[in-house]
């Protein structure tokens, strides 16, 4: 074996033992880290590819207690990260790609090959944006199609764009885009929106947002970039085209739990099932928090709360089992 081969083998066999491994880094992960660190567990956190999670793509957060004047999602995540680092948390920006929860010492592997052994694992992997699955959508991603208005809205300033969805995310992103773009078409598949009343009122009061009720998107049009979309009114069957250059999708999320599917009990949509009122999963020593296990509330503050619960459960588990 040559020198390079030896190096590769050595790297792949890197093994570390920690008391508490935290997988994921949204409000749930950071809160778990703060609690676990203050309990002396010296947690190791793997943030995944998007440190901070979904809040990194959110504008103003007005409903997180303690911020009377609001705070942007990225600012809030910076605050939480700083707080986790202030105590004894090690944070790595990398994915966990495989786990073995045979226990009692659980194992996880990072994408660069590090093998981590930990008696307690806190899962806080959150959820990812869903796509429509229509022609043109995938082909034109990063060429006018986006699932993040806050990240990409800037590229469409003074242009006409469309956004699909009818929940709080779509309402919030439509309002955000309306500040940058000349016109925003909000495409709602039913004759009502799911978004909270205050968010809907904001949308309806914004002059350059046009809401298209009972409307579905059939195709994203364009060769190199988005040149328009074809929409259909599902009540009248009328098909028409909108000349937009940006197309945003805000139709909800899928929990990031695939890597745990062989070990943890998940519901039919992939959310981790926990003991009601607790963070316990079906595997002793593995605790779940945040959006990966919550399809009802899905708020930053509830995610933070369950992150706290998971860290407290992990600490209690380690103490009770003398691990
Ligand atoms: P939601 O699941 O609440 O809403 C998804 C929306 O997308 C629904 O209106 C749904 O329509 C629509 N939809 C789904 N599939 C399709 C499709 N194929 N074609 C067209 N439309 C489709 O997701 P959100 O991301 O909006 O919100 C998630 C959670 O986060 C919620 O609990 C929300 O309250 C919260 N949130 C809070 C914010 C805040 O308070 N600042 C900001 C953003 C989110 P239908 O209604 O017909 O099912």
């Amino acid at each position: 074996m040559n020198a390079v081969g030896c190096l590769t083998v050595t790297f792949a066999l890197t093994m570390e033992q920690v008391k508490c491994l935290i997988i994921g880094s949204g409000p749930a992960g950071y809160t778990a880290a703060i609690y676990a660190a203050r309990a002396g567990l010296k947690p190791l956190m793997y943030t995944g590819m998007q440190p901070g999670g979904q809040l990194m793509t959110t504008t103003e957060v007005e409903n997180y207690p303690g911020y009377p004047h609001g705070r942007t999602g990225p600012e809030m995540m910076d605050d939480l990260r700083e707080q986790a680092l202030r105590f004894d948390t090690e944070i790595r920006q990398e994915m966990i790609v495989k786990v073995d929860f045979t226990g009692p010492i659980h194992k996880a592997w990072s994408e660069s090959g590090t093998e981590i052994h930990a008696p307690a694992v806190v899962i806080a992997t959150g959820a990812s944006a869903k796509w429509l699955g229509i022609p043109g959508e995938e082909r034109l991603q990063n060429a006018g199609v986006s699932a993040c208005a806050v990240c990409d809205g800037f590229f469409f300033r003074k242009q006409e764009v469309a956004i699909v969805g009818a929940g709080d995310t779509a309402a919030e992103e439509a309002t955000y885009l309306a500040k940058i773009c000349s016109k925003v078409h909000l495409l709602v598949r039913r004759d009502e929106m799911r978004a909270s009343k205050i968010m809907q009122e904001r949308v309806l009061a914004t002059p350059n947002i046009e809401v298209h009720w009972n409307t579905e998107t059939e195709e994203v049009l364009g060769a190199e970039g988005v040149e328009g979309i074809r929409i259909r009114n599902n009540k009248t069957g009328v098909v028409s085209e909108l000349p937009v250059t940006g197309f945003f999708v805000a139709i909800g999320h899928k929990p990031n739990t695939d890597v745990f599917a062989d070990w943890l009990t998940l519901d039919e949509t992939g959310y981790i099932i926990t003991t009601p009122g607790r963070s316990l999963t079906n595997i002793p020593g593995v605790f779940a928090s945040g959006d990966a296990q919550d399809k009802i509330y899905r708020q930053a503050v509830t995610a933070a709360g369950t992150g706290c619960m998971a860290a407290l459960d992990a600490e209690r588990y380690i103490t009770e089992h003398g691990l």
Side-chain angles (χ1 to χ4, degrees):
M1 190 180 285
N2 62 26
V4 174
C6 287
L7 270 178
T8 308
V9 170
T10 309
F11 187 57
L13 291 179
T14 304
M15 197 274 279
E16 287 176 56
Q17 170 88 40
V18 295
K19 274 194 188 289
C20 180
L21 171 67
I22 297 171
I23 309 176
S25 59
Y30 284 133
T31 305
I34 292 163
Y35 273 78
R38 294 186 79 254
L41 298 184
K42 293 183 188 294
L44 171 63
M45 171 189 276
Y46 275 81
T47 64
M49 292 312 289
Q50 188 182 47
Q54 290 176 72
L55 275 166
M56 297 304 283
T57 61
T58 301
T59 42
E60 202 72 4
V61 181
E62 295 174 336
N63 51 11
Y64 196 90
Y67 291 118
H69 306 294
R71 194 96 168 114
T72 69
E75 285 168 346
M76 231 173 86
M77 290 304 99
D78 279 350
D79 291 345
L80 286 177
R81 180 186 164 89
E82 206 177 301
Q83 199 172 348
L85 286 170
R86 184 181 147 204
F87 303 105
D88 218 351
T89 304
E90 183 176 347
I91 299 179
R92 295 181 190 161
Q93 186 178 340
E94 210 185 321
M95 296 285 286
I96 291 295
V97 291
K98 187 180 150 193
V99 295
D100 177 341
F101 290 157
T102 311
I105 299 298
H106 300 300
K107 295 178 188 149
W109 286 264
S110 77
E111 58 187 335
S112 66
T114 304
E115 179 175 327
I116 302 115
H117 290 194
V121 178
V122 171
I123 295 171
T125 46
S128 298
K130 280 188 193 164
W131 296 96
L132 293 166
I134 55 171
E137 183 187 49
E138 193 178 350
R139 180 173 56 82
L140 292 168
Q141 267 171 38
N142 303 321
V145 174
S146 166
C148 176
V150 181
C151 317
D152 302 325
F154 178 77
F155 299 117
F156 303 96
R157 61 193 184 282
K158 297 194 168 73
Q159 297 175 39
E160 199 166 326
V161 300
I163 177 163
V164 181
D168 281 331
T169 303
E172 187 181 72
E173 296 202 340
T175 313
Y176 175 82
L177 288 168
K179 292 179 194 148
I180 304 169
C181 306
S182 58
K183 177 154 188 179
V184 179
H185 299 272
L186 177 62
L187 311 175
V188 177
R189 68 178 173 181
R190 293 187 290 139
D191 58 3
E192 60 178 359
M193 289 179 73
R194 185 188 292 260
S196 55
K197 197 164 177 287
I198 186 170
M199 303 282 238
Q200 289 194 41
E201 281 168 0
R202 269 182 213 164
V203 165
L204 297 173
T206 305
N208 61 336
I209 298 179
E210 182 180 348
V211 182
H212 299 253
W213 303 102
N214 302 304
T215 299
E216 289 174 40
T217 315
E218 291 193 331
E219 185 173 358
V220 187
L221 309 167
E224 302 295 317
V226 174
E227 291 165 16
I229 52 170
R230 196 167 62 245
I231 58 172
R232 184 174 57 84
N233 183 302
N234 57 28
K235 280 271 191 304
T236 62
V238 172
V239 174
S240 56
E241 287 185 12
L242 292 176
V244 297
T245 49
F247 181 66
F248 294 86
V249 179
I251 61 165
H253 295 83
K254 174 187 180 302
N256 299 320
T257 55
D258 289 354
V259 72
F260 312 114
D262 289 342
W263 301 94
L264 300 184
T265 307
L266 309 179
D267 75 3
E268 66 290 349
T269 45
Y271 287 88
I272 299 168
I273 295 179
T274 52
T275 304
R278 302 291 304 274
S279 70
L280 317 186
T281 68
N282 57 305
I283 306 266
V286 179
F287 307 91
S289 60
D291 286 12
Q293 54 84 53
D294 173 18
K295 64 175 173 188
I296 298 172
Y297 301 105
R298 296 182 292 187
Q299 300 299 298
V301 67
T302 49
T306 55
C308 161
M309 289 160 64
L312 293 178
D313 284 337
E315 198 245 332
R316 189 168 302 147
Y317 174 83
I318 287 171
T319 306
E320 279 173 5
H321 292 81
L323 294 163

